[in-house]
């Protein structure tokens, strides 16, 4: 029942950490946590490959005659054939996929059919805009959700809890485009506090940038805030009411605030990390429509423009970026979980 | 009933407190050599337990007509219906009953650890202070400092994401303004007090790195952190295997000797009560049905329910392959209790009179029971006594 | 506020006896269910019995009529079409798409997930890897790509949204089946020699149904929102056929002048999604025993 320890049983170690000192690197590499990290990373690889196949398939094989669509109905058969040859569309699907994948791995996502610019160049700056939007929305929603959920769970069933739960289920039912338009109507049209559309680059003016980002960030972060609040509050209350270690903590005579923060929240935060990681996919999906409404030059807007001009090379690149970011976010959440949760870090017996 | 019958088979009531040598053997079997000397010392010290006369000391805890019901969606569950007992400092009281008899609920009520749906009435005075009706803030002052609790499942009762040292230090600091470093030292002391090997190192480990018995030792260290005068062990050994069970019980008794802590032992295991308790309270459907000194109770069981419980324990003397007598029927529905004696529907000696509530009375000195038709006394010289 | 009142009523204490009707004791379910029924009734039966003009083919002479105009309760849009009529017909297509997508998810995804969880092994690995890939995509991005490839139409919208609903249902169905597989009665059924399909139909399906139906309620809300987004972006229900999404998109162009064009379809969308979400959340809380 007692595991034999490395130190001789007769002499209790004087330094509490002395058993961890030797061969620290070796210990870390052999730890269950490290193995889990390796496993997760390996699992992410086939998903990314699958994502690229599906992306390619959806955009290349379904539409039938891409060249015809690109050139419009007036194009002659010769023109269509010429374009097909130029784009390599006369090759079989798997050859085209492997060509595309080979290029994509080296960082070449092709050339836009419309602007004739390399897709990576188009993506560059736009990635920063979408990144800023996602980052801010993420900070705002999580930053507000944690204190609200803690306050709600502190006294479940009380006024604050009821109101916050009502607000959050309402917020979850508002589509982000509906919210975006209502925000524009209220803050841009009626009150004229924020611009309805337009984007000020960060390099031009920090204050101006934040001013132009305020409404888009609000439109994306409010539903997220509601989602995180509901999840965290529910998990906290479940723990407070159902977990034995909460009873132990209360039986020690420590205050309810400490029970909530040191015990319930510590454990809920692991679930929250996973949910946030899973949710980042939805978050970046939401930017597509919000960027469109607020005319922000991000990847979502680029993708929609490409959809409208039938520039499938660009659409394909955007879809791939979105999906890979979502997979990576999920992976990072998994890894974070593995690093933070002692049960995984030290393995269970 | 199957729960009672099977689990109590581990320790038959005939088996009294294990001798010192048995204790040593158990300890040696599982604990590393480092603690051997300490164990030997404590085991020999524990051999003759010096007992104070319980009647002369002021009781530490007096529970009087404690009633607890849970009010939920259109249903009221009467979990405890008039529980009374008292406990002297440094003594051990066992509260025995099936699951749902209200034993755990009553103990949690002492500490104000019941959910908000619970309605508590009656009285529970701890050292003169009324514990029923305390506000959360007032109750918190007593939790850990006056009354501490060890729970059933040590795997679930420790926070899986906190180092065990931090969990003990937190309990230390809950009732003192010790600085962090001093609380840390005190936590290590507590870990060695409960004979956890290599306490300095264990301090930094997480619960999942310990075995079940070691986790329960950590739970006891947490409970002792506030130097309580009453320790409630709520099925504290039920989730452990038999040898570990004995070790944990020995540890509790040893600590009782050293620190003078009173213990309330909550269990469904009559054997445990017979081996370790000074007094026994048997509960059924939220009320006390029999109460006596341990020796008196097991020598002269009077309440048919207690008798049925004893009868359901498998014994070595029993004829092999003979059917085990079990208590017939189902435990009562606490939201729809019958009038009169709650055991009536399952009792073989029940009559019409049992529709009337049998009062809990001291029929013999120190021996209380609530029954109109008690079992005949096993003593040959005892006068047959029926009713009041 | 009815929700809060209902919750208070439930927690306030026992409802005496059986005097209260079922729906009074279960306002959390009854109220959103009634709203859903009302919306469905209005959208599918309303245009048949109410005196509303057809949703398309209005006259430009009647454009931008304010609310309360004779014959046009909510006014008209830039093309002179009746807004109320368009909202009712738009709801019809939204609900039709949502029901179709969820039924497709329930049938295909539910079966795949149950098979995957029940059979385990290689089948499970293959099915789950494919679904992992589908789930990795942000839902709107994938449906956008599919919708763009297929072209805008109601059927294609359903197909595009199925890319989201099938894997989501499959995941839930698989998780529920795995939990079920641990239970003794499953082993008992298998040891009795019950054929696999029969175990799936008689033991698995009825036990995972509650979770799938609960998710379908939440799924209705999600699908209505994404369908709205597709239509808003011009890749869903093609105009001039009405849908809430394309009405919002059309109204956006004159947001400052005539906000009502945006507000009405937004309100319809919000109320419907809220009702489905409340229903789903309450059912989920009930099933999980809280």
């Amino acid at each position: 029942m007692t595991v034999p320890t490395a130190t001789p049983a007769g002499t209790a170690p004087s330094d509490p950490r002395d058993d961890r000192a030797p061969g620290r690197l070796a210990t870390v590499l052999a730890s269950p946590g490290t193995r889990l990290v390796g496993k997760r990373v390996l699992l992410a690889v086939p998903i990314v490959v699958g994502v690229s196949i599906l992306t390619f398939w959806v955009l290349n094989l379904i539409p039938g005659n891409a060249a015809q669509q690109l050139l419009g109905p007036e194009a002659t058969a010769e023109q269509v054939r010429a374009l097909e040859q130029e784009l390599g569309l006369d090759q079989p699907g798997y050859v085209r996929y492997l060509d595309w994948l080979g290029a994509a791995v080296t960082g070449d996502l092709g050339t836009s059919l419309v602007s004739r610019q390399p897709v990576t160049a188009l993506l560059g700056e736009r990635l920063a805009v979408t990144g800023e939007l996602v980052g801010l929305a993420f900070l705002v929603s999580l930053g507000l959700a944690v204190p609200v959920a803690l306050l709600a769970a502190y006294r479940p069933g009380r006024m604050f809890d009821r109101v916050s739960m009502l607000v959050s289920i309402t917020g979850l039912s508002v589509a982000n485009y509906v919210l975006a338009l209502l925000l524009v109507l209220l803050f841009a049209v009626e009150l004229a506090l924020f611009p309805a559309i337009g984007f000020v680059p960060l390099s031009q003016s920090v204050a101006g940038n934040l001013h132009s980002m305020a409404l888009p960030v609000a439109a994306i972060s409010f539903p997220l805030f509601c989602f995180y609040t509901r999840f965290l509050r529910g998990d906290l209350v479940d723990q407070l009411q159902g977990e034995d270690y909460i009873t132990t903590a209360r039986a020690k005579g420590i205050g309810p605030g400490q029970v909530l923060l040191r015990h319930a929240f510590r454990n809920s935060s692991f679930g929250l990390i996973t949910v946030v990681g899973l949710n980042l996919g939805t978050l970046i999906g939401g930017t597509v429509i919000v960027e469109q409404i607020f005319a922000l030059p991000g990847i979502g807007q680029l993708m929609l423009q490409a959809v409208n001009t039938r520039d499938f090379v660009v659409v394909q690149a955007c879809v791939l970026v979105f999906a890979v970011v979502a997979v990576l976010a999920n992976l990072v959440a998994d890894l974070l979980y593995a690093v933070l949760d002692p049960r995984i870090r030290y393995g269970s017996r | 009933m199957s729960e009672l019958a099977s689990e109590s088979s581990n320790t038959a009531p005939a088996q009294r407190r294990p001798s010192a040598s048995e204790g040593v053997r158990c300890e040696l079997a599982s604990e590393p050599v480092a603690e051997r000397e300490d164990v030997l010392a404590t085991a020999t010290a524990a051999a003759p337990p010096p007992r104070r006369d319980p009647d002369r000391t002021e009781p530490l805890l007096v529970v009087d007509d404690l009633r607890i019901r849970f009010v939920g969606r259109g249903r009221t569950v009467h979990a405890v219906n008039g529980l009374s007992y008292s406990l002297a400092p440094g003594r051990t009281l066992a509260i025995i009953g099936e699951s749902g008899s209200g034993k755990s609920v009553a103990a949690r009520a002492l500490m104000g650890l019941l959910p908000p749906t619970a309605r508590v009435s009656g009285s529970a005075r701890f050292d003169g202070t009324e514990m029923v009706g305390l506000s959360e803030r007032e109750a918190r002052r007593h939790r850990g400092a006056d009354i501490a609790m060890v729970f059933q499942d040590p795997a679930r009762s420790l926070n899986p994401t906190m180092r065990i040292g931090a969990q003990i230090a937190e309990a230390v600091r809950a009732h003192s303004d010790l600085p962090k470093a001093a609380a840390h030292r005190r936590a290590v002391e507590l870990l060695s007090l409960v004979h956890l090997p290599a306490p300095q190192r264990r301090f930094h480990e997480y619960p999942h790195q310990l075995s079940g018995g070691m986790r329960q030792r950590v739970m006891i260290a947490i409970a002792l952190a506030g130097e309580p005068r009453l320790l409630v062990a709520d099925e504290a050994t039920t989730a452990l295997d038999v040898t570990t069970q004995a070790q944990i019980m020995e540890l509790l008794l040893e600590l009782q000797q050293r620190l003078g802590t009173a213990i309330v032992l909550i269990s469904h295991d009559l054997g445990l009560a017979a081996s370790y308790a000074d007094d026994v309270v048997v509960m059924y459907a939220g009320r006390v049905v029999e109460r006596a000194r341990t020796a008196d109770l097991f020598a002269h069981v009077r309440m048919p329910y207690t008798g049925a419980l004893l009868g359901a324990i498998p014994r070595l003397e029993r004829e092999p392959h003979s059917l085990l007598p079990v208590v017939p029927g189902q435990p009562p529905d606490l939201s729809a209790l019958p009038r009169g004696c709650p055991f009536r529907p399952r009792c073989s000696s029940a009559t019409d009179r049992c529709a009337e509530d049998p009062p809990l009375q001291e029929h013999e000195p120190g021996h209380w029971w609530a029954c109109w038709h008690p079992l005949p006394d096993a003593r040959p010289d005892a006068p047959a006594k029926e009713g009041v | 506020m009815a929700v809060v009142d209902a919750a208070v009523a439930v927690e306030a204490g026992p409802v005496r006896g059986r005097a209260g009707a079922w729906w009074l004791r279960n306002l959390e379910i009854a109220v959103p269910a009634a709203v859903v029924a009302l919306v469905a009734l209005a959208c599918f039966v309303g245009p048949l019995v109410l005196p509303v003009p057809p949703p398309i083919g209005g006259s430009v002479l009647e454009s931008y009529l304010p609310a309360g105009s004779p014959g046009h309760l909510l006014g008209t849009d830039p093309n002179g079409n009746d807004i109320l009529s368009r909202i009712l017909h738009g709801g019809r297509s939204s609900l039709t798409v949502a029901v179709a997508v969820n039924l497709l998810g329930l049938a295909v995804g539910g079966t795949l997930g149950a098979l995957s969880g029940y059979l385990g092994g290689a089948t499970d690995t293959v099915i789950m890897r494919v679904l992992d890939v589908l789930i990795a995509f942000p839902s709107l991005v994938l449906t956008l790509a599919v919708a763009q490839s297929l072209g805008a139409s109601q059927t294609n919208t359903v197909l595009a949204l199925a890319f989201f609903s099938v894997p989501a249902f499959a995941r839930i169905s698989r998780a529920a089946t795995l939990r079920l597989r641990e239970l003794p009665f499953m082993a008992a059924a298998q040891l009795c020699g019950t054929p696999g399909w029969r175990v799936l139909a008689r033991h698995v399906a009825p036990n995972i149904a509650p979770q799938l139906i609960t998710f379908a309620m939440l799924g209705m809300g999600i699908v209505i929102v994404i369908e709205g987004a597709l239509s808003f972006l011009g890749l869903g229900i093609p105009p001039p056929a009405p849908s809430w999404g394309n009405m919002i998109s059309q109204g956006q162009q004159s947001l400052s002048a005539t906000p009502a064009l945006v507000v009405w379809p937004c309100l319809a969308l919000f109320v419907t999604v809220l009702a489905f979400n409340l229903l789903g959340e309450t059912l989920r809380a009930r099933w999980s025993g809280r």
Side-chain angles (χ1 to χ4, degrees):
Chain A
M1 139 189 194
T2 307
V3 168
T5 53
T7 45
T11 55
S14 52
D15 176 10
R17 281 167 299 277
D18 68 355
D19 64 318
R20 294 198 256 151
R24 191 164 179 152
L25 183 67
T27 321
V28 167
L29 283 180
S31 79
T34 315
R35 258 179 288 141
L36 186 105
V37 167
K39 207 175 143 197
R40 287 279 197 274
V41 172
L42 285 180
L43 267 178
V45 173
I47 293 185
V48 170
V49 172
V51 158
S52 69
I53 294 176
L54 186 65
T55 306
F56 189 86
W57 179 69
V58 160
L59 288 155
N60 281 264
L61 304 182
I62 300 177
N65 199 333
Q68 179 80 57
Q69 283 191 7
L70 202 64
L71 291 169
E74 298 90 32
T76 62
E78 269 84 70
Q79 284 174 305
V80 169
R81 208 166 308 121
L83 187 66
E84 273 182 347
Q85 245 164 23
E86 187 195 332
L87 298 176
L89 293 180
D90 48 352
Q91 305 277 324
Y94 70 92
V95 175
R96 284 160 54 205
Y97 167 71
L98 288 177
D99 282 350
W100 174 71
L101 185 69
V105 168
T106 59
D108 174 15
L109 288 169
T111 310
S112 161
L113 299 179
V114 176
S115 68
R116 298 282 166 185
Q117 277 181 291
V119 176
T120 36
L122 287 174
L123 285 174
E125 282 169 39
R126 292 168 175 271
L127 209 54
V129 176
T130 304
E132 187 192 349
L133 183 62
V134 169
L136 284 176
F138 188 63
L139 285 181
V140 169
S141 54
L142 211 52
L144 288 176
V146 169
V148 169
L150 284 171
L151 271 173
Y154 187 70
R155 297 235 167 103
R158 293 289 185 87
M159 207 46 175
F160 184 83
D161 184 34
R162 286 186 186 289
V163 170
S164 66
M165 285 305 99
L166 189 71
V167 168
S168 63
I169 189 88
T170 311
L172 279 178
S173 309
V174 184
N176 51 18
Y177 46 94
V178 168
L179 183 64
L181 289 177
L182 294 182
L183 286 173
V184 168
L185 197 58
L186 187 62
F187 292 101
V189 177
E190 294 294 323
L191 301 172
L193 288 174
F194 293 99
I197 56 165
F199 174 72
V200 180
L202 203 57
S203 52
Q204 199 177 322
S205 146
V206 175
N209 172 268
L210 290 179
H211 197 226
S212 68
M213 286 297 242
L215 291 186
V217 167
I220 295 185
S221 44
F222 184 64
L224 270 186
F225 155 77
C226 297
F227 182 73
Y228 295 152
T229 306
R230 275 189 92 76
F231 171 82
L232 185 55
R233 182 263 178 202
D235 201 51
L236 287 171
V237 170
D238 276 359
Q239 287 202 47
L240 289 174
Q241 292 176 350
E243 291 291 351
D244 290 348
Y245 57 80
I246 296 292
T247 316
T248 308
R250 290 184 64 209
K252 291 175 190 174
I254 60 175
Q258 271 205 62
V259 172
L260 184 67
L261 284 175
R262 292 193 58 159
H263 293 273
F265 180 55
R266 184 192 280 260
N267 286 279
S268 290
S269 56
F270 297 115
L272 188 64
I273 289 172
T274 312
V275 165
V276 167
L278 280 174
N279 214 247
L280 206 80
T282 323
L283 173 61
I284 54 181
T287 61
V288 174
I289 204 158
V290 170
E291 281 174 4
Q292 166 78 2
I293 291 172
F294 291 98
L296 295 181
I299 297 197
Q301 198 200 35
L302 177 70
M303 178 177 160
L304 278 178
Q305 281 170 3
V307 163
N308 289 329
T309 53
R310 307 202 173 277
D311 191 345
F312 72 87
V313 176
V314 174
V315 176
Q316 192 170 289
C318 293
V319 174
L320 190 69
V321 168
F322 276 124
V324 169
V325 169
V327 173
L328 288 183
N330 212 338
L331 180 67
V332 168
D334 266 355
L335 299 187
L336 214 56
Y337 190 101
V339 169
L340 293 179
D341 190 329
R343 281 163 295 188
I344 297 174
R345 194 170 11 140
Y346 294 107
S348 35
R349 321 152 39 92
Chain B
M1 272 341 287
S2 59
E3 181 203 23
L4 257 169
S6 64
E7 294 200 28
S8 46
S9 63
N10 301 332
T11 36
Q15 175 205 331
R16 304 306 269 168
R17 174 169 310 190
S19 70
S21 62
E22 273 171 354
V24 173
R25 228 185 312 120
C26 294
E27 293 280 339
L28 288 185
S30 56
E31 302 290 2
V33 196
E35 300 296 323
R36 186 177 291 172
E37 282 175 338
D38 198 7
V39 167
L40 273 171
T42 51
T44 30
R51 284 275 175 250
R52 278 167 291 178
D53 188 340
D55 298 331
R56 254 183 256 154
T57 42
E58 272 297 301
L60 179 68
L61 175 69
V62 181
V63 176
D64 187 29
D65 196 29
L66 188 69
R67 288 168 190 277
I68 303 166
R69 62 202 161 88
F70 290 91
V71 182
R73 287 190 166 203
R75 218 168 89 102
T76 302
V77 174
H78 298 271
V80 178
N81 306 297
L83 173 65
S84 309
Y85 65 85
S86 67
L87 174 63
R91 306 263 304 174
T92 303
L93 170 80
I95 301 183
I96 300 297
E98 294 170 276
S99 35
S101 60
K103 52 197 195 309
S104 278
V105 172
R108 283 173 196 227
L110 292 182
M111 301 182 71
L113 286 178
L114 294 177
T117 47
R119 305 280 179 273
V120 185
S121 62
S123 156
R125 301 179 77 82
F126 180 85
D127 200 18
T129 313
E130 181 56 59
M131 306 295 284
V132 172
L134 286 187
S135 70
E136 165 71 21
R137 185 178 291 272
E138 291 164 327
R140 205 156 73 224
R141 280 219 324 274
H142 298 284
R143 280 184 212 145
D146 288 327
I147 310 179
M149 210 159 176
V150 179
F151 298 96
Q152 172 169 358
D153 187 355
R156 294 175 48 92
S157 298
L158 288 167
N159 188 333
T161 59
M162 267 173 96
R163 296 177 194 276
I164 57 167
Q167 299 192 49
I168 303 171
E170 181 183 60
V172 171
R173 274 155 66 92
H175 297 288
S176 70
D177 2 304
L178 280 182
K180 261 202 159 135
H184 182 140
R185 276 197 302 278
R186 175 82 185 121
V188 175
E189 278 171 34
L190 284 163
L191 282 178
S192 43
L193 185 71
V194 297
H195 305 317
L196 199 72
Q200 286 279 8
R201 190 166 51 80
R202 294 292 184 202
F203 184 94
H204 295 280
E205 293 193 341
Y206 288 92
H208 71 265
Q209 295 171 287
L210 308 183
S211 69
M214 284 156 89
R215 283 185 207 138
Q216 199 59 299
R217 284 169 194 269
V218 172
M219 282 300 293
I220 294 172
I222 289 175
L224 294 176
E227 297 172 14
R229 282 177 289 168
L230 172 61
L231 188 69
V232 180
D234 187 356
E235 302 269 12
T237 58
T238 306
L240 305 173
D241 63 66
V242 191
T243 43
T244 319
Q245 247 180 36
Q247 288 166 24
I248 294 293
M249 283 315 302
E250 287 304 317
L251 173 67
L252 282 175
L253 292 183
E254 175 210 326
L255 294 168
Q256 180 174 42
Q257 303 285 318
R258 276 161 75 168
L259 311 169
T261 319
I263 295 180
V264 170
L265 209 61
I266 296 174
S267 181
H268 61 263
D269 185 348
L270 277 174
L272 201 73
S275 310
Y276 300 103
D278 300 310
D279 302 278
V280 177
V281 167
V282 180
M283 283 184 80
Y284 186 80
R287 57 180 98 185
V288 178
V289 292
E290 189 162 11
R291 192 172 109 196
R293 296 284 189 80
T294 309
D296 289 345
L297 183 83
F298 288 104
H300 326 287
V301 171
R302 303 307 298 268
M303 169 69 197
Y305 174 64
T306 320
L309 281 187
L310 274 174
I313 297 174
R315 292 165 206 245
L316 285 177
E317 308 92 84
R318 206 186 290 280
E319 199 55 27
H321 306 295
S322 62
L323 275 180
L324 203 57
V326 292
V327 187
Q330 295 289 316
D333 178 1
L334 293 173
S335 58
L337 284 175
R339 231 161 27 86
C341 175
F343 189 56
R344 178 165 54 114
R346 300 167 74 183
C347 184
S348 55
S349 38
T351 61
D352 288 347
R353 196 180 182 192
C354 298
E356 206 181 309
D357 245 330
L360 179 69
Q361 282 179 339
E362 191 170 13
H363 296 282
E364 285 167 17
H367 197 156
W368 302 56
W369 62 80
C371 185
W372 297 122
H373 311 294
L375 299 173
D377 197 334
R379 284 174 297 188
D381 55 322
K385 207 171 167 191
E386 177 106 345
V388 190
Chain C
M1 290 322 281
V3 184
V4 174
D5 293 344
V8 171
V10 166
E11 303 228 331
V15 178
R16 253 155 257 100
R18 285 166 210 283
W22 178 90
W23 64 271
L24 263 181
R25 280 178 283 124
N26 292 281
L27 280 180
E28 302 154 289
I29 291 180
V31 170
V35 171
V36 166
L38 209 67
V39 169
L41 199 71
C43 293
F44 286 96
V45 183
L48 305 177
V49 296
L50 296 175
V52 288
I56 50 170
S59 157
V60 195
L61 297 174
E62 291 198 309
S63 61
Y64 293 117
L65 288 180
S69 306
H72 303 290
L73 192 60
L74 299 179
T76 57
D77 72 359
N79 301 323
N81 291 319
D82 182 72
I83 293 179
L84 179 63
S85 168
R86 285 181 71 78
I87 283 183
L88 295 182
H89 281 94
R92 207 184 254 202
S93 50
S94 280
L95 288 176
T96 308
V97 167
V99 168
V101 168
N102 278 287
L103 281 181
L104 208 61
L106 199 64
V108 180
T111 311
L112 275 180
L115 269 178
S116 182
Y118 180 73
L119 295 177
T123 320
D124 184 35
T125 313
V126 170
I127 293 180
M128 285 325 286
R129 285 295 158 273
V130 172
L131 294 180
D132 275 348
V133 168
L134 282 170
I135 282 174
F137 284 90
S139 48
L140 183 60
V141 172
L142 183 62
T143 41
L144 255 179
V146 176
Q148 119 94 9
S149 291
L150 298 176
S153 82
Q154 185 163 342
T155 318
N156 289 349
T157 306
V158 171
L159 284 178
L161 285 167
F163 271 78
F164 142 80
S165 73
V166 168
F169 274 99
R171 272 218 163 168
I172 289 175
S173 162
R174 175 175 179 268
T177 309
L178 282 181
R179 271 198 299 278
L180 211 60
R181 217 169 57 165
E182 304 298 314
L183 300 179
F185 77 89
M186 290 284 288
Q190 280 167 315
L191 289 174
C192 289
T194 318
W197 60 269
R198 213 182 150 83
V199 176
L200 274 172
R202 297 289 293 272
H203 296 283
V204 176
N207 279 297
I208 63 174
Q211 287 170 67
L212 291 177
I213 290 168
T214 302
F215 181 72
M217 288 301 124
L218 298 171
M220 286 294 288
I222 299 173
V223 170
I224 291 174
V225 166
I226 304 184
E227 182 272 318
L230 283 181
S231 298
F232 178 84
L233 296 171
L235 289 163
I237 313 288
S243 87
W244 292 340
N246 68 28
M247 288 175 77
I248 296 172
S249 171
Q250 187 187 43
Q252 189 204 356
Q253 286 148 20
S254 54
L255 186 62
S256 47
T258 49
L261 291 181
V262 166
V263 170
W264 289 118
C266 281
L267 199 65
L269 189 80
F270 168 68
V271 169
T272 311
V273 173
L274 180 63
F276 276 116
N277 279 350
L278 284 174
L279 208 53
E281 287 280 317
T282 310
L283 286 180
R284 185 160 69 179
R286 290 279 169 94
W287 291 118
S288 71
R290 262 204 282 142

